Amino acid sequence: EDKVVQSPLSLVVHEGDTVTLNCSYEVTNFRSLLWYKQEKKAPTFLFMLTSSGIEKKSGRLSSILDKKELSSILNITATQTGDSAIYLCAVEGGAGGTSYGKLTFGQGTILTVHP
Amino acid sequence: KAGVTQTPRYLIKTRGQQVTLSCSPISGHRSVSWYQQTPGQGLQFLFEYFSETQRNKGNFPGRFSGRQFSNSRSEMNVSTLELGDSALYLCASSFTDGSPIGGSPLHFGNGTRLTVT
């Protein structure tokens, strides 16, 4: 069974700090790893990492995929109170048709940024 | 471009009743997936539709069903509601040509919060 584990489960920091969120996975026929940010409603897409693109960066956020270690990290530099959210890691994989539309999600990391 | 739209936002139902949730994908997206989110289990995959066909299904009982229309809009139905069905139901769409390796991320709607009493 496919499995995604995130750590830490929760994290409290102060504005300006840098944080690193971790995600490890076990999945058959890995295709991609995705990071989402969820505040009170819809998970918002952040990054998609595949074999052809193992590092992504957008502003203060960046992510790296380590296919050898079956893991990924999400870095947030110079954190702001607006970064407070649940960060979800998800993996797309599976054999043939079993992968259609299906992401296996981790339990999420709750990030709280204090002023 | 409008995002994924789900209606209604909130629903309160009684055990034994049935419910229908609606989802309009992003324009041009043909794949629609449904997920259930609960505090204990997190986000779990229900099913996926593409061109009006269910291509994939998660491990949920047959009380959970769905369909997709020719305009890619989708509905999911839950019959004989149980207390454990209380959850946030999220719909997501993606731009895919239908191949298994679509390489296109899922974009989620704001969800329907279902409460079963």
Side-chain angles (χ1 to χ4, degrees), chain A residues 31 34 36 38 40-45 48 50 86 88 92 96-107, chain B residues 9 31 33 35 37 43 45 48 55-56 88 90 98-111 113:
Chain A
R31 302 188 197 285
L34 299 91
Y36 287 87
Q38 186 173 27
K40 292 193 184 281
K41 36 193 182 178
T44 304
F45 171 70
M48 180 182 218
T50 66
I86 300 172
L88 296 162
E92 178 186 18
T98 64
S99 69
Y100 290 132
K102 178 183 177 184
L103 295 177
T104 300
F105 281 85
Q107 64 274 61
Chain B
R9 291 295 308 278
S31 170
S33 302
Y35 285 78
Q37 187 175 28
L43 272 146
F45 172 73
E48 187 261 5
R55 298 192 300 179
N56 200 6
L88 180 66
L90 291 163
S99 65
I101 308 178
S104 178
L106 298 185
H107 295 275
F108 286 87
N110 285 335
R113 171 81 56 190

Side-chain angles (χ1 to χ4, degrees), chain A residues 7-72:
Chain A
S7 65
L9 293 182
S10 66
L11 192 55
V12 179
V13 301
H14 289 279
E15 272 191 322
D17 288 348
T18 293
V19 299
T20 298
L21 311 183
N22 302 286
C23 175
S24 63
Y25 62 89
E26 295 174 25
V27 63
T28 307
N29 294 334
F30 171 87
R31 302 188 197 285
S32 64
L33 184 145
L34 299 91
W35 284 96
Y36 287 87
K37 175 183 181 182
Q38 186 173 27
E39 296 172 88
K40 292 193 184 281
K41 36 193 182 178
T44 304
F45 171 70
L46 294 174
F47 297 118
M48 180 182 218
L49 300 149
T50 66
S51 299
S52 59
I54 61 172
E55 185 168 358
K56 293 285 177 74
K57 183 175 171 62
S58 176
R60 297 178 295 104
L61 278 67
S62 62
S63 182
I64 298 173
L65 174 68
D66 187 337
K67 284 203 71 181
K68 187 176 177 183
E69 297 296 326
L70 305 184
S71 65
S72 174

Side-chain angles (χ1 to χ4, degrees), chain B residues 4 10-11 13 22 25 29 32-33 40 47 49 53 58 64-66 78 86 93 95-96 105 108 115:
Chain B
V4 177
Y10 301 93
L11 267 177
K13 291 286 187 179
S22 181
H29 287 194
V32 174
S33 302
F47 29 66
Y49 287 87
T53 300
F64 292 81
S65 63
V78 187
S86 295
S93 72
F95 181 79
T96 173
F108 286 87
T115 301

Side-chain angles (χ1 to χ4, degrees), chain A residues 73-90:
Chain A
I73 60 171
L74 175 68
N75 280 320
I76 309 175
T77 60
T79 52
Q80 303 170 356
T81 55
D83 295 328
S84 296
I86 300 172
Y87 289 84
L88 296 162
C89 173

